[in-house]
Amino acid sequence: MTKNKQFIVGPVELYQNTRDVYQKNFTYFRTSDFGDMVKASIKELNHLVGNDLENSMIYLTASGTAAMEAVIENCTNPTDKAIVINGGTFGHRFCELLEYHDVEYTAINLEWNETLTIEHLKEYENKDYTMLFANLHETSTGQLYDIKMLSEFAKRNNLLLVVDAISTFLADEYNMSKYGIDTTIISSQKGLCLSAGLSFVSFSQRMLDKISNKVKSASKYFDFKDYLVNITRGQTPYTPAVFIMYELQDMLELIKIEGGLQARLDFIEKKCNYFRQKVSEIGLNIPDYPLSNMLTPIIFEDIKASDVIRILKDKYNIFVNPCGGKLADKIIRVSHIGNTTLEDIDNLVEKMQLAIAEVKEAQYARK
Ligand SMILES: *Cc1c(COP(=O)(O)O)cnc(C)c1O
């Protein structure tokens, strides 16, 4: 069977390096050896999100949504009033989680092709809000929000800024201290290109203080106070996904060897620009709103996007992402993270052209 190629948002195809980790020796996790390895990796990862505060990052054995929920359980109070940027599936998820945990919030709702601007924020200036939640890259549409604008808005209104950076981290520039971000959520299966199952949460000093002043977390298993005490020794309250921590250690080393954070971002940008140039050459359209380098949405007007996706999968063994809901027939999302090369992109574009031609032919035959 020929190897499939995945241009999906995650879990992405692992690097051979990462797979090779499983040939090495593992240490029992309740040892100082394992703890030291975790401490070093967490420190480095925290540095990559732009936070050099000691012991300010924890990790959970759970997917990104659990981290989003745990943040709400540990970082909000009954007196909080939140604003949520709701530009798609993941913004909606923050709304659902806040609602579930009885945190009062107002959603700024965007249509799929609507760019978030300062105009949207205007009516929320100088009100009694206390927190701002944003999925910096709304993966369901590909829109990348303006972090500088959100950061300045949060600062002048004294809001604690919580950012789901899951699909922008290691694809676009991101820096917690530069933008005064109070909480960052990332997870293993996106830009980090690791197996699914771990998420990481990083805090500012303000947020650490808020967590420590909170009487009780809404969750026992995900009580951040416990995690924050344990992480000072590189430990977790309960058994973590030990093997993914070894994958992480290896990936952080790989990023270093390849030239560091900027080299990593440059490589993703290169793949992204290469793909966008090619699709524009063959006359395909991408949205006008600001995009993350992690993902390119392609808009189809005259044929069904879902037909193109099906042919790519069934005939050419290539996987790309559909869009949810009413955009399912309109948009294909192509990811630029994961173990893909420029040659893979050449092949993808070639096969996309063939798939599009096939869909068009079938359509005209029906007419
Ligand atoms: C992938 C993703 C998540 C996490 O989803 P899980 O399925 O829980 O891992 C959260 N937010 C964004 C923006 C994402 O892209």
Side-chain angles (χ1 to χ4, degrees):
M1 197 183 138
T2 56
K3 193 155 172 15
N4 68 32
K5 265 294 156 190
Q6 304 185 350
F7 295 88
I8 51 178
V9 296
V12 295
E13 189 182 325
L14 301 183
Y15 283 87
Q16 190 55 47
N17 237 57
T18 309
R19 293 178 188 274
D20 289 346
V21 163
Y22 291 84
Q23 307 304 322
K24 299 181 188 166
N25 285 327
F26 290 99
T27 315
Y28 173 54
F29 77 98
R30 294 292 185 207
T31 56
S32 58
D33 286 349
F34 185 78
D36 289 346
M37 187 268 281
V38 169
K39 272 171 73 172
S41 293
I42 289 285
K43 187 175 178 186
E44 175 63 18
L45 188 60
N46 209 17
H47 178 69
L48 294 181
V49 298
N51 187 357
D52 287 321
L53 203 61
E54 289 246 340
N55 299 318
S56 64
M57 178 183 260
I58 59 171
Y59 75 105
L60 311 173
T61 294
S63 84
T65 305
M68 291 165 74
E69 180 160 29
V71 162
I72 290 168
E73 288 168 337
N74 286 274
C75 303
T76 68
N77 285 318
T79 52
D80 275 317
K81 256 186 90 173
I83 298 170
V84 183
I85 311 298
N86 178 14
T89 309
F90 294 103
H92 180 66
R93 190 165 300 174
F94 261 143
C95 294
E96 284 184 322
L97 293 168
L98 287 163
E99 181 127 10
Y100 191 90
H101 291 281
D102 298 316
V103 180
E104 196 181 340
Y105 74 93
T106 305
I108 298 179
N109 299 310
L110 303 173
E111 294 295 322
W112 82 267
N113 57 355
E114 187 180 350
T115 304
L116 179 74
T117 68
I118 193 118
E119 290 303 314
H120 291 103
L121 305 175
K122 264 199 179 128
E123 67 177 284
Y124 306 100
E125 302 268 3
N126 305 311
K127 298 275 163 62
D128 56 349
Y129 292 99
T130 57
M131 299 183 82
L132 173 62
F133 288 80
N135 317 85
L136 194 54
H137 170 210
E138 174 51 76
T139 326
S140 66
T141 65
Q143 181 168 171
L144 179 70
Y145 303 136
D146 181 347
I147 183 59
K148 190 160 170 284
M149 177 180 79
L150 291 175
S151 155
E152 285 166 1
F153 171 73
K155 270 186 195 152
R156 55 176 187 271
N157 289 287
N158 197 27
L159 308 175
L160 286 167
L161 177 55
V162 175
V163 176
D164 163 0
I166 291 174
S167 64
T168 185
F169 176 62
L170 291 185
D172 310 295
E173 187 237 4
Y174 185 83
N175 193 302
M176 276 183 83
S177 32
K178 179 173 172 188
Y179 295 110
I181 296 161
D182 293 291
T183 301
T184 294
I185 303 163
I186 57 177
S187 67
S188 54
Q189 83 277 24
K190 302 272 168 85
L192 276 169
C193 308
L194 310 177
S195 300
L198 284 186
S199 49
F200 305 85
V201 191
S202 178
F203 310 101
S204 69
Q205 189 58 54
R206 286 205 296 182
M207 193 57 98
L208 287 171
D209 294 344
K210 186 174 183 184
I211 293 165
S212 80
N213 288 331
K214 197 171 159 72
V215 181
K216 198 173 159 188
S217 164
S219 166
K220 170 70 183 139
Y221 186 84
F222 289 125
D223 185 344
F224 283 181
K225 278 186 205 170
D226 252 3
Y227 284 79
L228 283 163
V229 169
N230 275 275
I231 203 66
T232 61
R233 294 175 295 114
Q235 292 294 334
T236 43
Y238 315 103
T239 311
V242 170
F243 303 107
I244 311 178
M245 285 311 275
Y246 282 100
E247 292 182 13
L248 174 67
Q249 179 192 37
D250 186 78
M251 180 54 69
L252 292 170
E253 191 56 35
L254 187 70
I255 291 172
K256 245 186 231 157
I257 291 166
E258 287 177 349
L261 177 61
Q262 194 54 51
R264 185 79 210 160
L265 296 179
D266 290 346
F267 175 58
I268 302 295
E269 185 178 33
K270 184 175 171 186
K271 288 201 282 184
C272 167
N273 288 343
Y274 186 74
F275 178 74
R276 286 181 194 167
Q277 175 65 31
K278 291 214 148 219
V279 294
S280 89
E281 279 166 16
I282 63 171
L284 295 175
N285 293 322
I286 65 174
D288 294 328
Y289 49 77
L291 296 173
S292 163
N293 286 336
M294 188 259 199
L295 183 77
T296 302
I298 299 172
I299 307 170
F300 288 93
E301 301 288 356
D302 49 352
I303 57 171
K304 275 190 184 171
S306 49
D307 287 340
V308 178
I309 293 174
R310 183 177 38 78
I311 294 169
L312 282 175
K313 173 175 149 300
D314 292 348
K315 208 160 175 175
Y316 303 113
N317 222 7
I318 293 175
F319 290 76
V320 297
N321 279 104
C323 248
K326 55 182 192 237
L327 297 175
D329 281 337
K330 210 173 154 64
I331 292 181
I332 285 179
R333 295 177 301 147
V334 175
S335 150
H336 307 302
I337 56 173
N339 187 10
T340 54
T341 62
L342 297 183
E343 292 76 54
D344 293 330
I345 294 174
D346 286 336
N347 182 48
L348 166 68
V349 174
E350 181 197 324
K351 298 303 176 341
M352 268 174 62
Q353 278 181 285
L354 292 172
I356 290 166
E358 187 176 331
V359 176
K360 281 189 174 160
E361 222 166 86
Q363 214 167 57
Y364 294 137
R366 274 201 302 273
K367 274 183 186 160

